[in-house]
Amino acid sequence: SVRKWDILLPMSTWRSAQSESQQPKIQLRLAGDKRKHYEGRLEVSYNNEWGTICDDDFSIEAANVACKELGFLGAVAWSPSAKFGQGEGRIWLDNVHCTGREKSLAECPSNGFGVSDCRHSEDVGVICNQKRIPGHRFINTMNNNVETLEERVEEIRIRPISSHLKRIPVTEGYVEIKERGKWRQICDEDWTPLNNRVVCGMYGFPGDKNYNNKNYWGFSVNCTGNEAHLSSCRLGKPLEPKRNGTCGRGLPVVVSCVPGRAFQPLVRLRGGSNIGEGRVEVLKNGVWGTVCDDNWNLRAATVVCRELGFGSAKEALTGAKLGQGMGPVHMNEVECSGFEKSLTDCYFNNDALGCSHEEDAAVRCNIPAMGFQKRIRLSGGRNPYEGRVEVLTEKNGSLVWGTVCSENWGIVEAMVVCRQLGLGFASHAFQETWYWAGDASADNVVMSGVRCSGTEMSLPQCLHHGKHISCPKGGGRFAAGVSCSDTAPDLVLNAQLVEQTTYLEDRPMYALQCALEENCLSSTAKKNDHSSYRRLLRFSSQIHNVGQSDFRPKLGYHAWTWHECHRHYHSIEVFTHYDLLSLNGTKVAEGHKASFCLEDTQCDEGIQKRYVCANFGEQGITVGCWDTYRHDIDCQWIDITDIKPGDYIFQVVINPYYDVAESDYTNNVMKCKCRYDGYRIWTYHCHTGELQKKKLY
């Protein structure tokens, strides 16, 4: 008979209102075909087994508890009688009674787990509010797309063959399965190239190649080739070992994988903390846009991962779990076979009507194990997410730990450290670490002159001095340090509003004295008398925080700078750059906007404002909120008095010096084309990010 098999996976972090010994550990998910990400059959995992919930006595209060546990603001409705299809397996809960105040469905009274007289025709479904709980952490180590199957193994690995023992990453070796604590090889009888493709994919490689012991696993394996994990393949026939313990042909399975290159043709990932994860964006008609999560699954996600040079997908994420994009939604209802070369080769619906950026699809890909985490550590911090940076380097033929020089050390370098350690995003970069007592034997500086672009997978990939160490202040208290975070903010400028609000104003110098003091005018303005005029290109800007944590100034309240003329605090000295460029990119006029007031001007529905500037309050931008700088306030302009008529590029850059960590800096730039005839100005084709010139599909 044909059976399926699965890997035992650890349960993720559980919500708990009571002590762990008292409250059952559960995890919820929404399932069913042809549904939105915020609705579906309500399923619960208990004792590592997924099951359903009966609709008897279910209520909107219970639906509210479930939706909030899933990260939504609440429930809109619930559906009886298996509206989203009948589930499989156990019916875990029946006669659930909630008040609506519980933090988990496990707290609600019921018949008890597994006690039910229902059938799957009574499976309950819920429709949640589309809005997410701001800052809700989406932690899921369970594979929702793999069923709980009969034949279970604990782990799968590629054990390198003897000639490749020291090669990293491991691309070639024996495929072994851990069963009952013992590693077993797989007999190559009935093993096909499609099986190789699946194994290579789950270890981070997009392809495989042909490869020119007596302890075997007792089954053959049949893959179709589009699975994301070997555990999704079907078991073949049981294999009868020979008397000497070998399998039929006497050979173990060996795979040889082909590493890929992470290039970005028509598809890219944005907003992820690690290599190989992020919101999926596609290029259409020269404009980057997102993918709606309707029908989004592991097959489509795996096509994306392989297209970008990674392996198969670990997770297909829905509901903008890795942040919301901006601009158009290019693809909807994507359906892939799993063998396409590009996501754009899959069937999809061009009509994204009804899709919003709260439904942006994302992926987490399998990437090769490079061993980067073993060559770096954080030392002396109060928790594993902070500390002095120490790296392992070769010195006089042996490996030693040492520190990194903090000269010019910044948030971009810290981002690479946190990524290398698998700790998410950087929240701060430190140039002094005397308060963290690191390993005294690692005080010596072993790396200096570090300059990163921010995309590197490890610190040694950044520019640095190599063996020629130069660090005037030395290590010790001046060694580089970082603090990391699971989440980060992400600021995006509303390009359409800029395009709609640009205009020219001729303003007298006597009304611009405060702006002159704050360097918001061209240098030639200092020579003008009070009766002269300056020509200002004015516009409004609306800056959204579409990330997963609040945007806060780098400096605390006590370190903000008071400006007497405008009578306000500057929490960041330069928050934005406003520039007018020639068509070849030369700067011909400039302005800047000090963040004298970062606040929540407005927020999405269901999100409360947290930052208000009145009465010298705390400054910041909450997740799901935006800060609006109206066109009629000081410094909200570019001084173009000295500019000749012609065609130009109008550019706005948010957070230009990376003073505050963000999950994605590429969307901090907005560019417009503009034409100035000496009297009027036209602004058009405003885009967030680099303007794309080619029509690629």
Side-chain angles (χ1 to χ4, degrees), residues 9-67:
L9 295 172
M11 300 293 283
S12 66
T13 304
W14 304 100
R15 291 176 173 268
S16 178
Q18 306 172 13
S19 67
E20 291 189 3
S21 61
Q22 295 174 335
Q23 182 179 310
K25 296 179 179 180
I26 69 168
Q27 185 170 346
L28 301 181
R29 71 180 179 188
L30 299 178
D33 297 327
K34 303 295 182 182
R35 62 182 180 85
K36 297 285 189 178
H37 74 276
Y38 53 83
E39 64 183 15
R41 182 175 61 251
L42 187 58
E43 296 190 350
V44 58
S45 177
Y46 176 68
N47 282 347
N48 288 335
E49 183 178 349
W50 285 101
T52 62
I53 298 174
C54 182
D55 60 14
D56 290 352
D57 292 343
F58 204 80
S59 64
I60 191 65
E61 288 79 15
N64 266 315
V65 172
C67 287

Side-chain angles (χ1 to χ4, degrees), residues 22-185:
Q22 295 174 335
Q23 182 179 310
K25 296 179 179 180
I26 69 168
Q27 185 170 346
L28 301 181
R29 71 180 179 188
L30 299 178
D33 297 327
K34 303 295 182 182
R35 62 182 180 85
K36 297 285 189 178
H37 74 276
Y38 53 83
E39 64 183 15
R41 182 175 61 251
L42 187 58
E43 296 190 350
V44 58
S45 177
Y46 176 68
N47 282 347
N48 288 335
E49 183 178 349
W50 285 101
T52 62
I53 298 174
C54 182
D55 60 14
D56 290 352
D57 292 343
F58 204 80
S59 64
I60 191 65
E61 288 79 15
N64 266 315
V65 172
C67 287
K68 289 179 180 177
E69 189 168 359
L70 287 165
F72 299 96
L73 287 177
V76 175
W78 64 279
S79 302
S81 306
K83 175 183 176 181
F84 296 99
Q86 296 187 24
E88 297 179 353
R90 302 281 293 273
I91 298 176
W92 276 124
L93 292 173
D94 189 7
N95 298 114
V96 178
H97 296 93
C98 300
T99 65
R101 295 187 294 270
E102 296 85 355
K103 293 184 178 180
S104 170
L105 213 58
E107 297 178 28
C108 301
S110 68
N111 292 353
F113 283 91
V115 182
S116 174
D117 58 358
C118 297
R119 298 182 178 182
H120 282 297
S121 59
E122 301 172 79
D123 286 344
V124 76
V126 296
I127 303 172
C128 300
N129 188 315
Q130 296 183 42
K131 303 290 184 180
R132 290 284 187 180
I133 298 173
H136 181 80
R137 290 183 62 190
F138 301 94
I139 304 173
N140 181 14
T141 58
M142 304 189 68
N143 188 341
N144 289 0
N145 294 279
V146 180
E147 301 169 7
T148 303
L149 309 166
E150 297 178 24
E151 195 69 35
R152 298 188 175 214
V153 294
E154 298 157 42
E155 201 174 339
I156 298 170
R157 72 180 181 186
I158 299 177
R159 180 169 62 85
I161 57 180
S162 57
S163 60
H164 295 158
L165 286 176
K166 295 183 179 181
R167 180 180 294 176
I168 294 177
V170 177
T171 60
E172 192 170 81
Y174 301 104
V175 180
E176 297 186 338
I177 287 174
K178 195 173 187 180
E179 183 184 35
R180 300 184 184 91
K182 192 172 184 179
W183 286 103
R184 303 176 186 274
Q185 295 175 345

Side-chain angles (χ1 to χ4, degrees), residues 206-228:
D208 65 279
K209 62 181 180 180
N210 292 329
Y211 172 68
N212 287 326
N213 338 54
K214 301 181 180 181
N215 185 19
Y216 294 95
W217 196 47
F219 299 90
S220 62
V221 181
N222 296 325
C223 299
T224 63
N226 58 8
E227 295 89 352

